[in-house]
Amino acid sequence: DIEKKHWDAFYDFYLNTVDQKWGQAYLTKNFFYMLGERMADQVLLVAAEEIGTGELVAGALNLIGGDCLYGRNWGCIKQ
């Protein structure tokens, strides 16, 4: 299950990507919480964690369609 800590980490990844690529964050942390609450069965959040510490360091958000995945947001906190 995707927990609050996963959305918190993903939001940090999203902001880092915005800072490096797009320049303006238009999605809020609350948006990601609501996505998890309202569409939990249609969300696939892929996360990478650092070996040894278990810290979440990167992630990709995918929405599950009928027979495919739609990916739109991704990011990391470490290069």
Side-chain angles (χ1 to χ4, degrees):
D1 290 341
I2 302 173
E3 301 173 7
K4 183 180 179 292
K5 68 178 181 178
H6 299 113
W7 288 121
D8 289 342
F10 187 77
Y11 186 68
D12 290 341
F13 307 153
Y14 166 72
L15 290 179
N16 188 48
T17 299
V18 167
D19 288 345
Q20 293 189 24
K21 305 274 185 203
W22 300 319
Q24 183 174 345
Y26 56 90
L27 301 175
T28 65
K29 189 180 284 192
N30 194 49
F31 167 82
F32 291 107
Y33 292 156
M34 288 174 45
L35 185 67
E37 291 171 8
R38 297 180 183 178
M39 296 180 64
D41 60 337
Q42 297 170 307
V43 173
L44 174 64
L45 186 61
V46 178
E49 65 179 47
E50 187 169 358
I51 296 172
T53 67
E55 177 187 13
L56 296 176
V57 295
L61 173 63
N62 300 279
L63 298 178
I64 302 168
D67 61 352
C68 59
L69 290 176
Y70 299 95
R72 178 63 183 109
N73 288 294
W74 59 90
C76 66
I77 55 171
K78 295 187 179 184
Q79 297 295 326

